[in-house]
Amino acid sequence: RKEVEQDPGPFNVPEGATVAFNCTYSNSASQSFFWYRQDCRKEPKLLMSVYSSGNEDGRFTAQLNRASQYISLLIRDSKLSDSATYLCAVNGRPMNTGFQKLVFGTGTRLLVSP
Amino acid sequence: NAGVTQTPKFRVLKTGQSMTLLCAQDMNHEYMYWYRQDPGMGLRLIHYSVGEGTTAKGEVPDGYNVSRLKKQNFLLGLESAAPSQTSVYFCASTHKYRTSGVYNEQFFGPGTRLTVL
């Protein structure tokens, strides 16, 4: 099983729609969760961290479900400019060195149309 | 602040050639990383460094070497390029973990698009 899994999409939605993505993770000991946004041919940029209590930033809401081991991202009132790929990231199991790397999902592509 | 910068932005190599990718950050971050991103594979960690003078292997280190002689720079070397190394390479940096398992935001460079013929 992959450490982090996402539906690759694409999710095609009209402007103004609400869309939600999920990201499942396999390491029950994970403590850090993030959503990154990646535009075409650009680098990933942090969209928001995901806290146990959930958090909201404008039209974006992130939630953590530890029992089912997934995080979610909800985008309300979608804009054309929201079209991008959304990557989730979760701290993985320790490697041989003991270091815990951040494991990224392969991303979910969102296309918002007029 | 420039953040994380990478040079070059694009490069085409022939099989067997060598090159070095340079990553520089001006945020005084302790940790630095090299990733490669391929379609359907996501970001995969090649090598990482937790401080000046220290480097370690990530999940796909074969065919690559790294050095971190200065805190702000992290170099990725390909000694003998192969077509399988055609990819987009991202460097990232972050402050060291506040506590075990609790991460800080990773800042990424703009990437280097490498094609090996």
Side-chain angles (χ1 to χ4, degrees):
Chain A
R1 181 184 174 187
K2 286 185 178 179
E3 286 193 84
V4 177
E5 292 195 77
Q6 292 183 256
D7 181 339
F11 283 56
N12 290 286
V13 301
E15 269 187 295
T18 296
V19 62
F21 312 131
N22 285 342
C23 166
T24 58
Y25 62 94
S26 62
N27 180 16
S28 59
S30 292
Q31 298 178 56
S32 295
F33 310 89
F34 304 92
W35 283 103
Y36 280 77
R37 170 188 170 132
Q38 186 173 24
D39 293 299
C40 188
R41 303 178 75 84
K42 298 287 189 180
E43 73 273 24
K45 292 185 178 178
L46 183 68
L47 179 65
M48 56 200 311
S49 303
V50 187
Y51 305 119
S52 296
S53 56
N55 49 311
E56 186 174 314
D57 183 4
R59 298 181 294 109
F60 299 84
T61 300
Q63 298 279 355
L64 167 64
N65 185 316
R66 284 195 182 274
S68 299
Q69 292 184 208
Y70 72 89
I71 61 173
S72 63
L73 178 67
L74 180 78
I75 305 175
R76 291 181 297 278
D77 189 23
S78 298
K79 311 291 185 190
L80 295 175
S81 57
D82 293 334
S83 295
T85 296
Y86 292 84
L87 311 176
C88 63
V90 179
N91 66 300
R93 295 181 179 83
M95 297 189 292
N96 291 341
T97 56
F99 187 78
Q100 285 185 298
K101 62 184 170 78
L102 204 57
V103 181
F104 288 84
T106 54
T108 297
R109 193 170 173 211
L110 172 65
L111 299 172
V112 181
S113 55
Chain B
N1 289 349
V4 181
T5 58
Q6 291 182 235
T7 53
K9 288 185 169 50
F10 304 92
R11 187 72 186 269
V12 178
L13 291 178
K14 294 181 180 178
T15 296
Q17 287 185 318
S18 63
M19 78 165 295
T20 300
L21 284 68
L22 172 63
C23 175
Q25 53 94 5
D26 60 4
M27 295 174 282
N28 202 33
H29 286 167
E30 292 81 9
Y31 295 177
M32 296 187 74
Y33 313 84
W34 276 107
Y35 294 93
R36 59 177 289 173
Q37 187 175 39
D38 303 289
M41 301 292 289
L43 287 159
R44 291 184 292 170
L45 183 65
I46 305 172
H47 286 278
Y48 65 95
S49 169
V50 298
E52 181 179 327
T54 69
T55 64
K57 295 179 180 180
E59 57 183 311
V60 288
D62 294 343
Y64 305 96
N65 56 74
V66 288
S67 65
R68 191 153 176 217
L69 299 179
K70 294 183 178 181
K71 185 177 183 179
Q72 62 268 34
N73 295 339
F74 196 26
L75 277 63
L76 178 71
L78 286 74
E79 290 187 347
S80 180
S84 60
Q85 294 178 304
T86 293
S87 187
V88 181
Y89 291 86
F90 288 105
C91 176
S93 71
T94 186
H95 283 301
K96 66 180 180 180
Y97 308 153
R98 287 167 292 194
T99 58
S100 177
V102 179
Y103 286 63
N104 298 298
E105 174 186 356
Q106 282 194 18
F107 292 83
F108 285 83
T112 295
R113 293 186 175 276
L114 175 66
T115 301
V116 183
L117 303 175

